[in-house]
Amino acid sequence: VRSYCQYCSVAKALDVVGDRWTLLIVRELLLRGSCRYTDLRNGLPGIATNLLAARLRELEGAGLVRREEAPPPIATTLFSLTPRGAELQPVVEALGRFGIPYMSAEPAPNDEFRGPWLSWPAQIYLRDREPAMPAVAIELRTEGGSTTVEAGAGELRARPGAATNPDAVVSGSPPAILRLLSGGLAQGEELSPELELDGDLRALRRVLPRAESTAA
Amino acid sequence: VRSYCQYCSVAKALDVVGDRWTLLIVRELLLRGSCRYTDLRNGLPGIATNLLAARLRELEGAGLVRREEAPPPIATTLFSLTPRGAELQPVVEALGRFGIPYMSAEPAPNDEFRGPWLSWPAQIYLRDREPAMPAVAIELRTEGGSTTVEAGAGELRARPGAATNPDAVVSGSPPAILRLLSGGLAQGEELSPELELDGDLRALRRVLPRAESTAA
DNA sequence: CCGCATCCGGGGCGATACTG
DNA sequence: CAGTATCGCCCCGGATGCGG
């Protein structure tokens, strides 16, 4: 809330989004698009409810978040990013990329996890490596929820939630799935025994990074 | 210092660099390369000295900053980013880009300014638009210090400090210089009367963005 | 149940003074 | 020059209450 009082664009940006929790709220809104207060609270384990309300008001005042009162039949308020707020995506992505190395360690014993958070590593590691083939959907499933990866025509995007008709479903612990996303699968290599695959292995290979075969 | 306790790369990154002042310290180290405690203190107006010391120690512990004791003749300690710390450059650049719109307003009455901070807008707006020509150096001079822009062979980089043999020197207030960097100069347009040019106008035009002429 | 507001304890933060 | 020491304040975290 307190300004750095520096006429510098980096400092001015941090004046707006530098407070604690603010960029994590933006992360959730980038992932989920438009969601209710309770959805945000659930996607941000550890946040105090008064802080979430305060941050949302600040972001709204800064023109980064929009609050929509849904029509009477639904009777709920929806929060979403304004176009200006969506311009924070490069910031959150750069942070996500910088933070990737910290994920190779096992999660701390009291670390929480939510499935949609896999979207950031997925967008970083995965590519559509066979653009000519018809589109596929792959679901990454953990005990904390699912992320669905859709690849087609050379494009790839990740969104929270389960897929309706996935070509492949990979289940396992978050670190095991991360190792798969970052390390890929070498030619003829089998899936790690920590993971379980249901569906088409070729659909999975299509998006995974190429790994050198372990043998020379 | 307190962890978000979320197994997410964005949250893990903010665990390390999310504290107040931390990313601004990284900004200074990215700009200046290697500098003394006092240089950092001077480039970060408003920071409390105990906080600067604490943050430097945290960054050192996280492996992002390296502390070098210079040999006896100099007898000073130098701080610089490790390679891992330099990986924060995309984060700081993304923040700088997001913060640019806040710079179009006049600086707040108690806003401080340092010349090197112009490096971020310069790297965003300026390009070497005549790669075939011999290299040029342009100095952007304000009351808070200078930034030097060097363009040649299609590359452009900005560094803090005055130039030794500049082809052009632009002097003026920070907002006026920013308006020049972002708006450019249309064909035959004169430099704003707020600014003063000493040297070769063509060297300046070489790096400025193209502006449509005001007349139809 | 959803979207907060209020209260309170602890600690991060800001400013100044002081030291090897 | 490069920090440490101290102190007050306000942000933050956790719990609870409350109106729609």
Side-chain angles (χ1 to χ4, degrees):
Chain A
V1 170
R2 182 184 178 105
S3 170
Y4 285 108
C5 292
Q6 296 185 357
Y7 191 67
C8 161
S9 61
V10 181
K12 292 298 180 193
L14 288 173
D15 280 346
V16 179
V17 298
D19 275 346
R20 196 163 163 79
W21 289 106
T22 302
L23 281 175
L24 291 185
I25 294 173
V26 173
R27 174 197 72 185
E28 286 302 304
L29 290 171
L30 282 170
L31 283 180
R32 313 198 183 216
S34 181
C35 47
R36 300 174 302 172
Y37 186 88
T38 310
D39 300 330
L40 286 172
R41 185 154 167 51
N42 196 272
L44 293 162
I47 198 176
T49 169
N50 54 352
L51 271 192
L52 178 54
R55 293 291 180 268
L56 284 172
R57 221 182 311 278
E58 293 165 18
L59 286 168
E60 193 184 359
L64 308 184
V65 159
R66 170 179 45 209
R67 170 192 315 248
E68 300 168 86
E69 305 289 341
I74 317 186
T76 186
T77 45
L78 289 178
F79 298 89
S80 60
L81 291 173
T82 64
R84 171 66 177 152
E87 291 180 26
L88 282 167
Q89 179 155 4
V91 175
V92 178
E93 279 190 358
L95 280 167
R97 191 174 290 267
F98 177 81
I100 287 273
Y102 300 120
M103 307 286 285
S104 55
E106 286 294 307
N110 49 355
D111 269 6
E112 297 272 351
F113 175 77
R114 297 294 130 92
W117 298 345
L118 282 177
S119 293
W120 303 107
Q123 286 171 343
I124 287 172
Y125 288 124
L126 304 187
R127 295 285 179 276
D128 182 9
R129 295 168 208 283
E130 298 172 19
M133 302 289 287
V136 294
I138 300 162
E139 181 179 334
L140 308 174
R141 185 181 297 170
T142 76
E143 71 275 22
S146 290
T147 287
T148 297
V149 174
E150 295 164 325
E155 300 293 313
L156 182 142
R157 58 179 188 280
R159 56 174 188 79
T164 55
N165 263 332
D167 298 271
V169 178
V170 183
S171 308
S173 72
I177 289 188
L178 271 175
R179 279 192 289 273
L180 176 67
L181 296 189
S182 63
L185 275 184
Q187 292 284 359
E189 186 185 354
E190 306 240 335
L191 207 61
S192 155
E194 311 169 291
L195 296 172
E196 195 180 346
L197 172 68
D198 183 10
D200 186 3
L201 178 60
R202 288 172 311 166
L204 182 59
R205 281 193 186 278
R206 170 173 174 170
V207 298
L208 285 181
R210 321 203 132 279
E212 300 95 76
S213 60
T214 73
Chain B
V1 169
R2 183 185 176 106
S3 168
Y4 286 107
C5 292
Q6 296 185 358
Y7 190 67
C8 162
S9 62
V10 181
K12 292 298 178 193
L14 289 172
D15 280 346
V16 179
V17 298
D19 275 346
R20 195 163 165 78
W21 289 107
T22 302
L23 281 174
L24 291 185
I25 295 174
V26 173
R27 175 197 71 188
E28 286 303 304
L29 290 171
L30 282 170
L31 284 180
R32 313 185 118 109
S34 183
C35 47
R36 301 174 300 173
Y37 187 89
T38 310
D39 300 329
L40 285 172
R41 186 154 168 49
N42 195 272
L44 293 162
I47 197 175
T49 170
N50 55 351
L51 270 191
L52 178 54
R55 293 290 181 269
L56 284 172
R57 220 182 311 280
E58 294 165 16
L59 286 168
E60 194 185 357
L64 307 183
V65 159
R66 171 178 44 211
R67 171 191 315 248
E68 299 167 87
E69 305 289 341
I74 317 186
T76 186
T77 43
L78 290 178
F79 297 89
S80 60
L81 291 173
T82 64
R84 171 66 176 152
E87 291 180 26
L88 282 166
Q89 178 155 5
V91 175
V92 178
E93 279 190 359
L95 279 167
R97 191 173 288 268
F98 177 81
I100 287 272
Y102 300 120
M103 307 285 286
S104 55
E106 286 295 307
N110 48 355
D111 269 5
E112 298 273 351
F113 176 77
R114 298 294 129 91
W117 299 344
L118 282 177
S119 292
W120 303 108
Q123 286 172 343
I124 287 172
Y125 288 123
L126 304 186
R127 296 282 179 277
D128 182 9
R129 295 168 207 284
E130 298 173 18
M133 302 289 287
V136 295
I138 301 161
E139 181 179 334
L140 308 173
R141 187 181 296 171
T142 75
E143 71 275 22
S146 289
T147 287
T148 296
V149 174
E150 295 165 325
E155 299 293 314
L156 182 142
R157 59 179 187 280
R159 55 174 189 80
T164 55
N165 261 333
D167 299 271
V169 176
V170 184
S171 308
S173 72
I177 289 190
L178 271 175
R179 279 191 289 274
L180 175 67
L181 297 188
S182 62
L185 275 184
Q187 292 283 0
E189 185 184 356
E190 307 239 336
L191 208 60
S192 154
E194 311 169 290
L195 297 172
E196 194 179 347
L197 172 69
D198 183 9
D200 185 2
L201 178 60
R202 286 172 312 165
L204 182 59
R205 282 193 185 277
R206 170 173 172 170
V207 299
L208 284 180
R210 322 199 131 279
E212 299 95 75
S213 60
T214 72

